[in-house]
Structures are given as C-alpha cells and as structure tokens.
Amino acid sequence: MSSIVLGVGASHSTLMNTHWDEVADEPGAIDFRAGLAAARDELAQARPDTVVIIGSNHFRGMFLDLMPAITVGVGEVLGAGEAKTPEGRLPADPELARHLVDTLSEDFDPAFSLRMQVDHGITHSYQHLVPSLDVPIVPVVVNMFAPPLPSLRRCHALGAAIGRAIRADGRDKRVAVIASGGLSHRLPWPKWYETLSDDDRFLVEAWLEGRNSWQEYEVRRRQIIRAAEADINPEFDRRFLAALETGDLSEFVGLSAEQVDEEAGNGAQEIRSWVAMAAAVGPAQSTTHAYAPIAQWLTGMAVASLRPAS
C-alpha cells in the first residue's frame, strides 16, 4: 500500500520567472519565495518517490480542437519551456499514472496522453519545489480555462478518488500531491465563444490553431498579459486559505464557476487544483507558508502544505 506523505499548494505565475527584478525588494514577493523554499524543504524531508501534480494548462498542451475535462499523462511528459520553465522530457511514473486512469475510470472519464505536453500550470511548481527535477511526476491536468469547466464539487470528488487510488496501488511508495495554480486573479482572456475585441479574437485563434505552432503566438500573447491591470481579491484568498487550514472547504466546493469568476477572477478557477489536492490528502494539518497579493504578477500568490494526519 502506498501512502500520501505530503500535500502542497502553490500559486504560479510565469511573471515570477521573467519579472522577478521588478519586485525583488517587495516584501510580499520575498515572502512568497520564502514560502516556496519552506515547502520545498518539507517536500525534501518527506522523500516522495513520485509527485502527482494537479494543475491547469494554458493552451500549450490542450487546445480548443479537443479539450478534455481531465487528462492524465501516462507516458512521456514534456515541459513546454515557456517563460523559463522546464523544457523537454521530464521524469515520469507511467505505472502509477496508468493505475490512476484505470481506477478513476470507475467514476470519471479521464482522458490520457502517452506524450503529454505540460506548461507552467504543471511545471512551475515542479521547477520551484523539486528544483533538481529528479522525482518522477504524474501530471493531472484539469480544464480550468475553457468553459464548461468541471465543477468544484466534481474536482473535490476527483481528488478524493486520486487519494484512494494512490493508497490502493500496492507499490508501497511515498507519494506527494501538489496543487499548482490560483489564487485570485483575472487574466485578460475571453470566453472562447465571446470575443469582443481584436485581442480576444487573436487569443481564441491561438488556442484553436496553436497545437503545432503555439510558439508563433507567444509574443503578442505576452504583450496582452503584460498590459493587463491586476485584479486580485485578498479577502477571497485569505478566506480560502483559512478554510484550508480548518479542513472545511465546503463554502468553496459549493461555488459555481460564474461565482468564482465574479468574486475572484477567471484565473481563480485554478483553486480546483487546491480543492482536489486537499481531498486527495484527506485529514491533515495545514500550514500557510506565505500569502501576498502581488500586482506585478497579477495574482494572489500563496504557498501552503498539508501534512496528513497519522
């Protein structure tokens, strides 16, 4: 029987990689970096054989020509390498990945990929929490940007199912579960069926046509993001982290995608990964290592760890 030895939640933003100098003296950014370091140390002490990373994809591996709700990488895992994130083949654990797909298929309909390209929605946390990139990963990508999205309630159930599958895989492995994404933020991204500007139409074209050419769209896409005004809701974020510490996420599991969008922004849909991670870990002691609304990165940046109850 394998065991879950640690859960970690970490916000991501590629602006952290590319625009660190702009905030190098900002206390919030320094705290977030320190929080990542604390979680990285905890992860090292937990000595996982594999990390399951639940996160999003920003149209560099999944595109509008086919958008599964849930996809598990069961073969090669390739980092897209955008914005100084890991590029190329990453160590994988196909055996655990196939076990997850087989088990989840009892109640879900997960897609799978034998050659899965993941972007910073998966690789950012891996880069900063496992900097030597030497622990095999199982990526679980949940659709968090192309509506309709799987509900938060379903993501909670998915996480619980992932936890049961890990504990029943019979390999006697130590497994950590990482949630990558959120918290509150609003990206200048349209709903794919509601384009109101030239930038909107460009983005949707990139998301539809970019499967073999996503790099060609990166320059303008980056310009659009860099031009956006920050829209962060610290009150929402702190409420979410407090709920994580109590182990009661019922308030958030009950939110619709529209309610999340309205209160905390379209980027906050990524709390799905945190909800799933917490459900996978189960009863736990949660510690918030850092939280800061960092306008320059457009995002409420948090790091937390969950140590499973013994």
Side-chain angles (χ1 to χ4, degrees):
M1 173 179 281
S2 292
S3 59
I4 295 178
V5 294
L6 189 69
V8 176
S11 303
H12 61 234
S13 169
T14 59
L15 297 172
M16 174 185 161
N17 279 9
T18 58
H19 292 76
W20 168 247
D21 290 345
E22 294 179 2
V23 295
D25 298 325
E26 294 277 345
I30 293 170
D31 288 348
F32 177 72
R33 288 263 186 175
L36 277 179
R40 183 170 63 239
D41 290 346
E42 271 195 287
L43 198 60
Q45 292 169 7
R47 297 179 290 103
D49 299 303
T50 299
V51 292
V52 174
I53 304 180
I54 305 170
S56 57
N57 188 282
H58 306 73
F59 303 100
R60 297 187 183 91
M62 307 295 169
F63 296 88
L64 291 179
D65 58 355
L66 183 63
M67 182 57 66
I70 303 159
T71 309
V72 181
V74 299
E76 294 177 65
V77 179
L78 306 174
E82 86 285 9
K84 301 181 181 180
T85 54
E87 181 174 8
R89 182 175 292 192
L90 302 173
D93 186 343
E95 188 176 354
L96 176 58
R98 288 197 299 272
H99 172 71
L100 286 187
V101 169
D102 289 343
T103 306
L104 294 177
S105 295
E106 295 175 5
D107 297 304
F108 296 87
D109 300 299
F112 62 89
S113 171
L114 274 65
R115 182 173 295 143
M116 188 171 186
Q117 178 154 290
V118 292
D119 66 14
H120 69 277
I122 294 291
T123 58
H124 197 285
S125 59
Y126 190 51
Q127 174 184 27
H128 290 282
L129 295 171
V130 190
S132 55
L133 306 180
D134 59 347
V135 180
I137 68 172
V138 174
V140 179
V141 171
V142 177
N143 172 25
M144 304 189 199
F145 289 114
L149 311 180
S151 70
L152 280 156
R153 192 173 304 283
R154 189 156 177 78
C155 291
H156 187 273
L158 172 69
I162 289 173
R164 289 194 298 272
I166 290 171
R167 295 182 178 96
D169 82 341
R171 298 196 307 160
D172 195 26
K173 297 289 187 179
R174 300 170 62 83
V175 180
V177 182
I178 295 174
S180 180
L183 300 179
S184 70
H185 61 297
R186 191 177 301 278
L187 297 171
W189 288 7
K191 292 182 172 62
W192 59 267
Y193 51 82
E194 192 173 65
T195 54
L196 304 177
S197 68
D198 287 344
D199 284 347
D200 290 353
R201 287 184 281 277
F202 164 80
L203 287 168
V204 172
E205 177 188 338
W207 300 342
L208 176 60
E209 305 293 345
R211 182 169 296 282
N212 299 310
S213 59
W214 62 268
Q215 295 94 334
E216 297 175 11
Y217 297 94
E218 286 294 279
V219 172
R220 181 172 173 184
R221 174 176 157 146
R222 197 76 173 168
Q223 291 170 343
I224 293 170
I225 290 175
R226 290 294 295 155
E229 295 289 333
D231 185 356
I232 303 170
N233 185 340
E235 190 278 330
F236 175 93
D237 295 341
R238 293 192 173 100
R239 210 169 74 236
F240 180 80
L241 292 168
L244 193 70
E245 290 188 358
T246 66
D248 181 5
L249 289 170
S250 55
E251 173 193 349
F252 297 89
V253 169
L255 295 176
S256 67
E258 291 74 19
Q259 288 171 316
V260 171
D261 194 327
E262 181 177 356
E263 185 174 1
N266 55 356
Q269 305 294 354
E270 290 178 325
I271 63 171
R272 283 163 172 73
S273 59
W274 291 64
V275 166
M277 176 275 291
V281 174
Q285 179 181 350
S286 173
T287 300
T288 300
H289 294 291
Y291 172 72
I294 302 179
Q296 295 90 335
W297 297 347
L298 304 179
T299 304
M301 304 295 290
V303 185
S305 60
L306 277 66
R307 290 174 296 284
S310 55

